[in-house]
Amino acid sequence: MKNFDYIIAGGGCSGLSLAVRLLPYLKASNKRVLVVDKEVKKNNDRTWCFWEEHPDIFEPVVHRKWNHLSFSSTYTDLQLNIHPYSYKMIRGADFYKYASEQLANSSHITILVGDVERLFNDEEQAGLVIDGILYTADYVFSSIPKPQEKRPESYQYLLQHFQGWVIETESPIFDPESAKIMDFNTSQQHGTSFIYVLPLAANRALIEYTVFSEQLLAPETYTAALNQYISEQLIYENYKVVEQENGVIPMSDHPIQGKDGRIIYLGTAGGFTKGSTGYTFRFIQKHTAAIVERLQKYGDPYISATYSRRFNLYDGILLYLLNSGRISGEEIFSTMFKKNNAAQILKFLDNDTSFAEELLLFTTLQKKEFALAFVKRTLKLMKAGLF
Ligand SMILES: Cc1cc2nc3c(=O)[nH]c(=O)nc-3n(C[C@H](O)[C@H](O)[C@H](O)COP(=O)(O)OP(=O)(O)OC[C@H]3O[C@@H](n4cnc5c(N)ncnc54)[C@H](O)[C@@H]3O)c2cc1C
């Protein structure tokens, strides 16, 4: 048996974010942390995009940032002023390298590569087992994926799935100062579908085809959608694909248990993937920062409010509308971006708005459809004793 003060199980986005944030506290309190992952993370396995008002601890690895965004659909074309936010991109490979270097310089961190077989928890301590060896600590922070419990009679489940290409063009066709966060000028036959265009240089961009639906598509469908968008919307043929990313992010209003005694769940496993958008990176940063603040002040990691019933209901309403077919995702997002200040929408999607600000935003949307969805979702949850 080996004992540490804390164990971080899963060294991906949330595990490494927590470990890096903990460094000053570990030094000051002379505590020791074990960080375990089943693999050494080096590959550029994902790209994180997010918005934030102020630079945070991973600013040194921000690959690109944009202060101007645009939105397009068959209804509207908009230039979006997102001040005071910036929209940022971090490449997975840069994040893993930067975090690993920070951790390698600390005598308070032990890194272990191993497959966690099981987590355990009692009144005194928590721990995990790897290759039959027991590791214990005061608290375990785990981002290891948990099997998703499903209650389809009460909650909704969609997938956000995507394929992205970094393309290089022969001539300069992109404006590196402005990123397109949603372009609905792509077929809507598979569900709410849109394209991101994130220019990295005048001749280089990440183009990502994203679909919200229950089922994944055949691999050739993503390829065809990207080819079609580049030739018909960007009206360009001479390009090469230099990188590719694929991903699936769960979208649901099913609440996720954030802790189990001395085990605290982080990241997607802790419910920090926003149900209606799939955005997770900023929620992870806010959560891990709050854990460290709490440890510094009170010596335990128990954050009081990590789950907001109000925002979970909003996510449920949006998922209901996206799924019901009564109104398309394209119509919802077009109206939302056309009638509201973009920064206010980003604040809302960050779960940071006040109730008064939310009411103001809702009055600009398709009132009848949203009111009906609100009543249906609330009744369903009340009937199941969940609201
Ligand atoms: C391709 C892709 C792109 C995304 N893009 C964005 C984006 O642009 N913006 C955004 O906000 N969100 C995005 N997300 C969603 C979310 O931010 C990421 O999934 C993020 O990595 C979640 O962090 P995490 O710590 O919960 O999980 P992960 O980063 O996946 O970390 C979990 C870790 O646990 C390890 N692990 C698993 N099982 C075991 C085991 N048995 N033993 C030991 N270790 C184990 C894994 O190796 C992994 O390193 C994206 C997701 C994907 C898949």
Side-chain angles (χ1 to χ4, degrees):
M1 186 174 92
K2 298 187 178 176
N3 185 255
F4 292 83
D5 292 294
Y6 310 117
I7 295 175
I8 298 180
C13 183
S14 58
L16 291 178
S17 296
L18 178 63
V20 172
R21 285 181 190 282
L22 275 171
L23 289 173
Y25 169 70
L26 299 178
K27 198 171 171 194
S29 57
N30 199 24
K31 291 192 188 265
R32 293 182 319 124
V33 175
L34 174 69
V35 181
V36 188
D37 200 286
K38 62 179 179 178
E39 56 191 58
V40 179
K41 299 200 70 102
K42 280 191 176 152
N43 294 341
N44 195 42
D45 60 355
R46 60 200 64 186
T47 305
W48 290 290
C49 290
F50 56 96
W51 53 88
E52 64 187 1
E53 218 176 316
H54 306 290
D56 198 359
I57 59 163
F58 292 107
E59 188 68 17
V61 281
V62 168
H63 186 64
R64 278 291 309 173
K65 69 176 159 192
W66 302 270
N67 295 322
H68 303 283
L69 298 181
S70 64
F71 173 97
S72 289
S73 69
T74 51
Y75 302 97
T76 188
D77 285 302
L78 301 166
Q79 296 300 320
L80 308 174
N81 177 5
I82 58 164
H83 179 79
Y85 296 102
S86 297
Y87 195 72
K88 302 183 179 181
M89 174 196 279
I90 291 182
R91 288 162 56 86
D94 296 340
F95 175 92
Y96 301 134
K97 182 168 183 278
Y98 179 74
S100 309
E101 283 168 2
Q102 306 274 311
L103 301 184
N105 287 333
S106 169
S107 56
H108 299 271
I109 300 274
T110 303
I111 306 277
L112 179 67
V113 179
D115 197 338
V116 174
E117 290 152 30
R118 118 186 129 76
L119 301 176
F120 74 88
N121 187 15
D122 61 34
E123 280 187 9
E124 310 272 293
Q125 58 182 8
L128 47 78
V129 179
I130 300 170
D131 289 334
I133 301 172
L134 193 62
Y135 296 83
T136 58
D138 289 350
Y139 299 99
V140 169
F141 299 95
S142 175
S143 57
I144 294 179
K146 295 187 280 188
Q148 192 181 28
E149 187 206 335
K150 289 202 174 175
R151 286 178 72 170
E153 68 288 1
S154 305
Y155 297 116
Q156 306 159 98
Y157 306 88
L158 272 185
L159 296 173
Q160 175 177 151
H161 41 109
F162 45 89
Q163 183 168 123
W165 293 350
V166 175
I167 64 164
E168 273 178 12
T169 55
E170 276 183 8
S171 30
I173 63 163
F174 302 110
D175 171 7
E177 300 307 316
S178 178
K180 183 151 280 191
I181 49 159
M182 282 181 150
D183 188 343
F184 282 93
N185 287 298
T186 183
S187 162
Q188 301 295 306
Q189 75 176 107
H190 302 295
T192 297
S193 310
F194 56 90
I195 306 257
Y196 286 87
V197 182
L198 306 177
L200 307 171
N203 68 338
R204 190 179 166 96
L206 171 63
I207 319 266
E208 195 145 298
Y209 170 61
T210 301
V211 181
F212 298 168
S213 69
E214 282 178 10
Q215 304 292 337
L216 303 185
L217 306 178
E220 57 274 18
T221 312
Y222 302 92
T223 310
L226 284 164
N227 274 325
Q228 189 176 7
Y229 183 82
I230 295 167
S231 70
E232 291 179 10
Q233 298 299 323
L234 300 181
I235 316 177
Y236 202 79
E237 301 292 343
N238 294 327
Y239 65 90
K240 56 178 191 242
V241 178
V242 293
E243 281 174 31
Q244 181 173 322
E245 113 173 337
N246 295 288
V248 182
I249 304 177
M251 298 171 77
S252 176
D253 55 348
H254 191 141
I256 291 177
Q257 189 189 1
K259 71 176 175 68
D260 175 14
R262 289 176 172 270
I263 301 172
I264 315 292
Y265 295 106
L266 305 176
T268 300
F272 291 90
T273 293
K274 185 164 171 70
S276 59
T277 64
Y279 278 107
T280 317
F281 188 85
R282 274 302 299 162
F283 291 100
I284 285 175
Q285 300 314 320
K286 287 194 260 184
H287 181 221
T288 50
I291 289 177
V292 176
E293 197 183 322
R294 172 85 200 183
L295 280 170
Q296 279 165 339
K297 275 193 190 151
Y298 301 104
D300 72 64
Y302 296 131
I303 316 295
S304 54
T306 55
Y307 169 75
S308 161
R309 190 177 273 208
R310 190 169 98 241
F311 282 100
N312 195 52
L313 177 64
Y314 302 155
D315 287 334
I317 290 172
L318 204 54
L319 287 173
Y320 172 83
L321 288 170
L322 292 174
N323 230 351
S324 69
R326 292 178 59 89
I327 177 170
S328 68
E330 181 177 12
E331 282 172 277
I332 295 172
F333 287 109
S334 297
T335 307
M336 194 184 276
F337 278 104
K338 198 168 179 176
K339 298 200 175 164
N340 292 280
N341 171 281
Q344 197 62 15
I345 299 172
L346 298 185
K347 189 176 175 189
F348 172 65
L349 297 178
D350 260 351
N351 297 0
D352 277 344
T353 37
S354 67
F355 187 52
E357 289 175 307
E358 288 143 29
L359 283 182
L360 213 60
L361 193 140
F362 295 147
T363 59
T364 66
L365 303 177
Q366 291 83 350
K367 291 188 202 60
K368 201 173 123 208
E369 298 300 340
F370 272 82
L372 190 72
F374 170 78
V375 172
K376 287 212 166 199
R377 287 306 304 150
T378 314
L379 284 178
K380 187 158 239 180
L381 295 176
M382 280 168 81
K383 217 166 137 189
L386 297 165
F387 197 75

